[in-house]
Amino acid sequence: MGRVVASAVYSAGRKVTNISIDEGSEWARKPGHFVWIGLEEPNAEELANLQRQFNLHELAIEDALEKHSRPKLETFGDALFIVTYSPVRHEGKLEFIETHIFAGNGYIITCRNGHSKSYALVRQRCEARPLLLEHGEDFVLYALLDFVTENYQPVSEAIHGEIEELEQSVLGGSLQEDDIRRLHSLRRDILRLRRYVAPMLEVSEELQRLSFPFIDKNMRPYFRDVQIHVTRQMEDLVGIRDIASQTIEIGMLLESSRQSIVQRKFAAWAAILAFPTAIAGIYGMNFQNMPELAWQYGYFGVLGVIGLGCAGLYASFKKSGWL
């Protein structure tokens, strides 16, 4: 069973009274009045009730009962059906809450299918601006779309903050496997945000072109404002995605550089150890004619040559930065 979040009638920019959803069509037929109904997770019976009252198209009702993959706008005669998504991030997990908007002459109906940020704030904003609310259904439609677009900003900013923290962690230390997984997950969330916000460009553009009895031409700049916000949000998401990708690349380069330094050190010490090994190998051969073996200080002389050679190699590698 769905829940009626709010149901009220408005006229001349003012709220007239709260009503039950069964009274909606009666008030919507009155000149200069429009009904704004907000539902949460309505069932088929409740949608059928709204269909009978406001003469909603059966295809719009079928759409409202389905799960969609992206925002969209459909026209049915002189009525609109809009699918929007609001991002919700809880404990690092990103979800999208689907909302259906029915808009027509005398009514605005929203059906929210999940627990996202309440649209009560939209009502408060609209009721606080009676001169604009006087426009009627079209201003409420703009306020709803603008609110949905606003919901993307705090989510993208939170993701941006986490990526910057990971970036500092990568620059300050080695790239951990958990860091790579987290960056990949955040980058995937950014792509999902862009996938759901991008179609709002088409919706806002189409609302500027459509000619409906309940959409005043003077409201078109407001829908263009939604388009501008969506464009900026997409640009921000592209920038955040690039930062995430660059963070991974920088981390891999730094890790490669650290590994190269270790390899150079190993190579330098191997060369230093190879010098006394080579000399010891020479004297390990069973030749009889080795005059220095009979020399009283031959043993100390060989040790001295080994020491000088190793010291010279160490100094050379140290100067070149290998040690």
Side-chain angles (χ1 to χ4, degrees), residues 3 21 34-35 42 51 56 91 107 141 177 197 224 227 249-250 276:
R3 183 171 69 93
I21 60 173
F34 75 92
V35 174
Q51 181 184 11
L56 303 178
E91 295 181 353
Y107 65 88
L141 181 59
E177 187 175 346
V197 75
R224 187 162 57 249
Q227 179 185 352
E249 292 175 3
I250 291 171

Side-chain angles (χ1 to χ4, degrees), residues 214-232:
F214 65 92
I215 297 182
D216 190 344
K217 290 183 179 180
N218 293 325
M219 286 301 299
R220 290 181 178 176
Y222 289 88
F223 294 122
R224 187 162 57 249
D225 182 64
V226 174
Q227 179 185 352
I228 292 171
H229 289 168
V230 173
T231 302
R232 289 175 179 171

Side-chain angles (χ1 to χ4, degrees), residues 158-213:
I159 293 176
H160 189 190
E162 289 189 27
I163 291 175
E164 286 187 334
E165 289 180 6
L166 286 169
E167 183 181 30
Q168 294 301 319
S169 176
V170 167
L171 292 173
S174 60
L175 185 64
Q176 304 296 325
E177 187 175 346
D178 289 342
D179 294 336
I180 297 176
R181 287 201 185 99
R182 186 60 185 152
L183 281 168
H184 176 71
S185 176
L186 291 172
R187 187 169 60 174
R188 184 176 57 190
D189 286 346
I190 294 166
L191 293 175
R192 292 178 64 203
L193 283 170
R194 195 169 186 273
R195 178 188 174 190
Y196 281 100
V197 75
M200 293 299 293
L201 276 177
E202 301 173 13
V203 173
S204 56
E205 287 174 357
E206 196 163 355
L207 285 171
Q208 295 174 58
R209 295 193 300 265
L210 290 174
S211 178
F212 280 87

